[in-house]
Amino acid sequence: MSDAASETTPLPKLVVTIPAHNEEADVAAVIREIPRQIAGVGKVEVVVLDDGSTDATVKVALEAGADRVISHKIQKGLASSFRDAVSEALSRDADIIVNTDADNHYDQSRIPDLIQPILEGQADITIGSRNITELPMRFINKWGNIVGSSLVRTLAGLPAGIDVSTGFRAYTREAALGLHVISDHTYTHETLIAAMEGGLTIVDVPIPARVVTRPSRLIKGTTSHIVRGLRVIIRSYAIYQPLRVFLTLATVLIIAGMVPMIRFLVLFFMDDGGGHIQSLIAGSVLLLVGFQVLILSLLASSIAWNRKMIEEILYRARRNDYNQD
Ligand SMILES: Nc1nc2c(ncn2[C@@H]2O[C@H](COP(=O)(O)OP(=O)(O)OP(=O)(O)O)[C@@H](O)[C@H]2O)c(=O)[nH]1
Ligand SMILES: [Mg+2]
């Protein structure tokens, strides 16, 4: 690049965000491992989102060199912290945002690899996919991840192999401006479904993760984790792909209703109209419910159109807010 060109186009700024809830033992190592000089990047800053920690997370993070620590007085949850992290990074003029966890699970020295496709203009979002099948993770974490990942991948049409629940990701400023997380538990699945719907380019960057032995801050119990995970996935689909979800359901119900109905009609005409009232009832109920779901799919899709317009307005409002100097 010529001198004149480098003067006119400053190198992008990277802000690394770290959500943390009671992470005094590991957060310092994470912060220290973040490279502060990266080829192709002008400046690197670190922002920690302390979510009502009751230990020394804040003090330890500041001592380890965090540029800013934002504290929630009470624990608001990971998704809410992620929203605040993105806002803070945008208002610090980040061109690229990397999110990582505070438990030393991810290898921060690989951040340059994670952001490379973004620097090259090849990606809007990159996903640092872990070596899930080889990692000795908690049973529920591992299988929840494998099942949840393949479910979300297939339904959303994500590239094969992407680790849907990894916290190690990078976003361009534009992608971050368009992210609106609604869930309160976790943001990982929802952001990917929304990004695919928005036509963003998601690139997979396989980066092996380390084994973590400390108890999860996120998973309180197996059942509650499964229920919450399923709720997030179902809700995301109902919100982002309503026509697909409700039309599929309506088709299944209508087909299931037509089988007993046809049986009833055939027997009605062959036997001169006697009996088979059960088939008539079952068929009618299924068909009725099926057609109601069909109407619901139209309603849901018009609500989705509204949501898209609201998101467009939100995106423009945020762009105006954050891009002002
Ligand atoms: N802000 C905030 N951060 C949280 C909360 N719960 C967990 N975290 C942080 O989110 C990150 C992920 O939490 P973990 O406890 O590592 O979750 P995990 O069960 O190990 O899940 P994986 O790391 O994806 O395998 C860590 O940096 C936590 O400190 C929360 O309620 N609020
Ligand atoms: Mg973890």
Side-chain angles (χ1 to χ4, degrees):
M1 206 190 287
S2 73
D3 278 0
S6 59
E7 260 172 42
T8 47
T9 45
L11 290 173
K13 176 173 179 178
L14 167 67
V15 174
V16 181
T17 58
I18 313 176
H21 178 70
N22 290 344
E23 298 281 10
E24 64 180 5
D26 296 302
V27 73
V30 172
I31 294 170
R32 291 202 181 100
E33 198 180 27
I34 296 170
R36 294 300 189 123
Q37 306 277 329
I38 298 176
V41 172
K43 189 161 197 223
V44 179
E45 283 181 359
V46 175
V47 174
V48 174
L49 267 291
D50 149 51
D51 198 25
S53 294
T54 49
D55 65 2
T57 298
V58 175
K59 187 169 164 278
V60 172
L62 287 170
E63 279 169 9
D67 296 279
R68 171 114 164 82
V69 177
I70 296 173
S71 285
H72 291 161
K73 288 187 201 71
I74 53 158
Q75 188 178 3
K76 288 182 166 177
L78 186 54
S80 152
S81 299
F82 177 72
R83 275 194 293 268
D84 292 350
V86 170
S87 298
E88 175 66 17
L90 289 172
S91 54
R92 297 178 87 85
D93 292 332
D95 298 299
I96 304 172
I97 302 172
V98 162
N99 186 80
T100 190
D101 284 355
D103 59 352
N104 217 359
H105 186 40
Y106 304 107
D107 182 354
Q108 315 308 332
S109 69
R110 300 288 305 271
I111 287 177
D113 299 318
L114 185 68
I115 63 169
Q116 196 56 37
I118 289 183
L119 287 174
E120 287 168 2
Q122 307 291 325
D124 300 305
I125 298 177
T126 60
I127 307 291
S129 291
R130 298 167 285 181
N131 41 336
I132 290 286
T133 42
E134 292 146 43
L135 268 182
M137 292 166 89
R138 288 166 218 105
F139 180 81
I140 177 63
N141 251 17
K142 189 168 198 155
W143 284 100
N145 188 291
I146 291 171
V147 174
S149 277
S150 60
L151 200 74
V152 172
R153 264 199 316 260
T154 336
L155 288 169
L158 282 159
I162 273 200
D163 178 3
V164 171
S165 62
T166 180
F168 198 35
R169 298 166 174 208
Y171 307 84
T172 59
R173 181 178 184 82
E174 277 296 298
L177 279 168
L179 281 182
H180 313 289
V181 178
I182 303 164
S183 310
D184 50 4
H185 177 49
T186 168
Y187 64 91
T188 49
H189 297 62
E190 191 189 330
T191 42
L192 286 184
I193 296 169
M196 283 305 283
E197 194 219 17
L200 299 186
T201 306
I202 301 171
V203 171
D204 188 25
V205 185
I207 297 177
R210 301 187 181 109
V211 179
V212 171
T213 46
R214 67 115 175 88
S216 171
R217 302 287 181 268
L218 222 45
I219 303 173
K220 304 283 188 282
T222 308
T223 326
S224 88
H225 184 61
I226 294 174
V227 171
R228 293 179 100 168
L230 280 177
R231 219 168 53 194
V232 169
I233 293 175
I234 292 170
R235 209 200 277 158
S236 298
Y237 271 95
I239 293 172
Y240 294 105
Q241 306 245 342
L243 209 56
R244 199 165 160 182
V245 173
F246 290 111
L247 264 187
T248 312
L249 194 61
T251 313
V252 170
L253 284 165
I254 290 172
I255 291 173
M258 278 167 71
V259 175
M261 207 49 149
I262 290 170
R263 178 178 183 266
F264 167 78
L265 288 174
V266 169
L267 294 173
F268 181 84
F269 289 113
M270 278 177 28
D271 298 357
D272 268 346
H276 310 294
I277 201 80
Q278 294 93 333
S279 293
L280 178 65
I281 294 172
S284 311
V285 170
L286 286 167
L287 283 176
L288 260 174
V289 178
F291 282 112
Q292 274 179 351
V293 175
L294 192 70
I295 293 168
L296 206 67
S297 76
L298 298 179
L299 268 179
S301 81
S302 53
I303 293 171
W305 277 98
N306 261 336
R307 180 184 53 75
K308 276 190 190 166
M309 285 192 283
I310 293 168
E311 280 187 0
E312 178 66 27
I313 295 168
L314 260 175
Y315 163 77
R316 282 164 189 263
R318 293 175 91 192
R319 202 179 52 185
N320 285 344
D321 280 357
Y322 291 120
N323 290 2
Q324 258 167 20
D325 278 321

